[in-house]
Amino acid sequence: MQIAVIGIGPGNPEQVTFEAVRSLNAADIVLIPRKGAEKADLAELRREICRRYLDNPATRIVEFDLPQRDARPDYRGAVADWHRAIAATYDALLDREAGPDSTVALLVWGDPSLYDSTLRILALMKADFALRVVPGITSLQALAARHAMPLNTVAGEVLITTGRRLREAPPEADTVAVMLDGDCAFRTLPAADWDIAWAAYLGMAAEIAVAGPLAEVGDRIRETRDAARAEHGWIMDTYVLRRREAG
Ligand SMILES: C[S@@+](CC[C@H](N)C(=O)[O-])C[C@H]1O[C@@H](n2cnc3c(N)ncnc32)[C@H](O)[C@@H]1O
């Protein structure tokens, strides 16, 4: 069995690569996870990608429910159990749906290398398979493109981190890319020291973006984010912070 883990970009079907389309059409089975009502739009993007690009009549689409992570306080323990539960779900699914010669495609949001545990989860599976990864455009690339900005300063470094970690300790890097932030962690920084380039729903019809000195646009980002989240029922946003004297 071969499993192809295919990066599909961060939400715009036009940002799916030729290699991804070719790999999709080479698959016998495409697995589409359903992650609960909040993420219904994300499953819909995967379906839309299949509608647009899948023209191999022999390829079957199999949708399945992903186990949910339990919300206990021991975060790392909960994640480890959750990953094991997903690996067991994949094992059962492939046992039922795939044969030893099948090629199975898993569509991963953005790129599988960035804040995505698919590759870690596959390593927990019991099944034997060859693994192939097809890279996709990440939300950070889409963000940098949206704001027409280079991610790094000249010869500078970029810290890629989460909202949770930004809240825990002030960063030392000139440029900080923040993902998975449920609560505007940039508010914990001294606003006068930073510029911010923020966007939500990158590549989708609902895309919104705000950029400027953090002291001037921080509140607007928070209000915009709250309103968008209330309107859509979910939000995915990301931002880059640049220390002001770093240029
Ligand atoms: C689980 S991570 C997956 C990242 C993905 N593997 C990638 O390459 O971009 C999800 C986070 O990525 C960011 N993200 C993904 N897609 C996005 C989009 N279309 N617009 C804004 N942020 C996005 C958000 O910070 C979100 O919380």
Side-chain angles (χ1 to χ4, degrees):
M1 192 187 318
Q2 185 180 76
I3 298 186
V5 175
I6 304 175
I8 57 168
N12 179 350
E14 304 248 313
Q15 290 172 356
V16 173
T17 68
F18 287 119
E19 188 185 4
V21 172
R22 200 161 36 76
S23 303
L24 190 64
N25 280 289
D28 300 295
I29 297 166
V30 179
L31 295 183
I32 298 196
R34 289 183 295 244
K35 302 187 186 180
E38 258 205 2
K39 301 277 172 76
D41 290 358
L42 309 190
E44 188 45 35
L45 177 83
R46 291 176 168 91
R47 287 188 207 109
E48 168 63 15
I49 284 171
C50 291
R51 278 195 292 271
R52 272 200 200 196
Y53 300 122
L54 188 56
D55 53 17
N56 178 353
T59 304
R60 276 189 307 130
I61 298 174
V62 176
E63 296 206 8
F64 67 102
D65 291 317
L66 263 189
Q68 303 287 309
R69 173 161 59 85
D70 71 48
R72 65 186 205 236
D74 160 30
Y75 178 74
R76 281 178 186 277
V79 168
D81 285 349
W82 182 44
H83 286 176
R84 275 191 288 273
I86 298 174
T89 302
Y90 285 155
D91 269 321
L93 205 59
L94 297 189
D95 209 34
R96 198 175 66 225
E97 304 281 348
D101 297 327
S102 300
T103 297
V104 179
L106 270 174
L107 307 186
V108 167
W109 200 260
D111 181 77
S113 68
L114 192 63
Y115 289 113
D116 185 277
S117 289
T118 304
L119 298 173
R120 271 183 284 272
I121 291 166
L122 293 183
L124 299 172
M125 282 175 61
K126 296 201 169 71
D128 241 2
F129 56 85
L131 176 64
R132 207 165 72 81
V133 176
V134 177
I137 291 179
T138 69
S139 48
L140 284 187
Q141 289 167 291
L143 177 73
R146 176 64 180 76
H147 289 287
M149 69 186 287
L151 210 47
N152 56 286
T153 54
V154 176
E157 60 186 356
V158 179
L159 171 70
I160 301 176
T161 190
T162 64
R164 179 188 292 242
R165 295 190 80 99
L166 187 63
R167 229 171 284 122
E168 281 166 7
E172 283 174 16
D174 283 345
T175 305
V176 185
V178 184
M179 306 177 69
L180 290 164
D181 183 0
D183 194 22
C184 299
F186 55 77
R187 286 181 294 154
T188 59
L189 299 179
D193 296 352
W194 298 88
D195 287 325
I196 185 168
W198 172 88
Y201 313 104
L202 279 156
M204 298 174 223
E207 180 177 289
I208 22 178
V210 176
L214 184 56
E216 284 171 31
V217 299
D219 286 345
R220 178 143 61 91
I221 291 173
R222 189 159 58 103
E223 287 156 19
T224 308
R225 187 183 192 281
D226 288 349
R229 189 184 193 166
E231 185 189 343
H232 299 285
W234 63 278
I235 192 160
M236 274 208 302
D237 63 331
T238 183
Y239 51 91
V240 169
L241 294 157
R242 170 128 329 127
R243 216 178 278 279
R244 299 206 71 189
E245 77 270 17

